[in-house]
Amino acid sequence: MSYTTKADLGGQPGFGPVTPEPEGELFHAAWEPRALALTLAMGATGSWNIDASRAVRETLPDYRDLSYYQIWLAALEQLMLQRGQIFPDEIAAGEIRHAAAPVARVLQAANVPAVLAKGSATERPATSPARFAIGQPVRMHRGKVDHHTRLPGYVQGKQGVIAHLHGAHVFADANAQGLGEQPQWLYTVVFDEAELWGDGAPRQNLSVSVDAWESYLEAVA
């Protein structure tokens, strides 16, 4: 089994042009700020980590048909259903019908600005030297996986060059599965457009940069 994520949509035809929106236009419907607030509030309870929430969003069966906040809301329902924090009859009725499940933390309204400003760092101390160096050619891992991955499908098996080293960071693939943070070195790999889409595609003089964990990379002989 392999999962398709939003990262796999790059380079695929049929999705139409990217339409720029005015700077600062955050919402398109009155319910969207509420969906954002619910997601932030539940995320702050510690019931799951950010990688688990992203994995659920990006593996929704109807992902491609949903708007941005529809994805957030559908994923929130799944996360809460999995943990007994909400039940199907409550979703259908749009009201609470069962006792609230206990949570580890509650984000108070007064603390929201400070919590959002602080963020959550993902960099961790490196336990080994980086395997790859800036300027080194590498090939991205290719092959099906049985879990959600942050490795974009359109770069699998493609050759690029290391452009930046970002230190060791929480490995999202493992963290999403509840297997711990398992930090790995994180790199920026740059690809030529012809490598990704072939010489037959219209040339736009572009390069594509992808941040990739060390286990995604293979040395080029």
Side-chain angles (χ1 to χ4, degrees):
M1 178 187 298
S2 68
Y3 290 106
T4 298
T5 78
K6 68 176 181 180
D8 294 326
L9 302 184
Q12 294 188 20
F15 295 97
V18 175
T19 304
E21 296 184 345
E23 186 71 24
E25 186 173 309
L26 305 179
F27 306 107
H28 300 85
W31 62 268
E32 293 183 343
R34 299 174 64 187
L36 172 60
L38 287 169
T39 301
L40 293 175
M42 285 306 302
T45 66
S47 300
W48 50 80
N49 60 58
I50 190 172
D51 297 311
S53 64
R54 190 187 300 273
V56 171
R57 289 175 200 164
E58 296 184 0
T59 56
L60 290 168
D62 52 351
Y63 178 91
R64 298 186 183 196
D65 301 321
L66 301 176
S67 68
Y68 185 77
Y69 283 110
Q70 285 176 334
I71 291 170
W72 279 44
L73 193 58
L76 181 61
E77 289 181 357
Q78 291 301 312
L79 288 161
M80 295 180 70
L81 282 167
Q82 292 168 4
R83 291 158 179 80
Q85 295 170 328
I86 197 171
F87 295 89
D89 61 330
E90 295 178 310
I91 295 175
E95 63 182 19
I96 297 174
R97 293 192 169 182
H98 306 276
V103 293
R105 299 188 300 267
V106 174
L107 177 59
Q108 302 295 334
N111 298 329
V112 170
V115 170
L116 293 182
K118 180 180 179 182
S120 181
T122 62
E123 188 168 7
R124 301 291 186 267
T127 58
S128 61
R131 182 183 172 196
F132 304 100
I134 292 176
Q136 183 175 351
V138 293
R139 188 173 300 280
M140 309 303 285
H141 174 77
R142 184 181 185 88
K144 294 182 178 180
V145 295
D146 59 359
H147 57 78
H148 175 266
T149 179
R150 298 303 305 277
L151 174 61
Y154 64 90
V155 301
Q156 290 189 20
K158 304 298 184 178
Q159 182 172 321
V161 176
I162 300 292
H164 298 285
L165 277 68
H166 298 288
H169 287 255
V170 175
F171 183 38
D173 291 33
N175 202 35
Q177 299 177 75
L179 301 177
E181 295 186 341
Q182 301 187 27
Q184 294 185 16
W185 279 89
L186 185 67
Y187 305 82
T188 295
V189 184
V190 178
F191 303 86
D192 181 81
E193 61 183 338
E195 173 69 11
L196 296 181
W197 295 296
D199 292 323
R203 297 289 292 184
Q204 302 180 69
N205 297 317
L206 298 177
S207 61
V208 176
S209 297
V210 172
D211 287 342
W213 279 276
E214 192 164 84
S215 62
Y216 293 167
L217 311 181
E218 301 169 358
V220 175

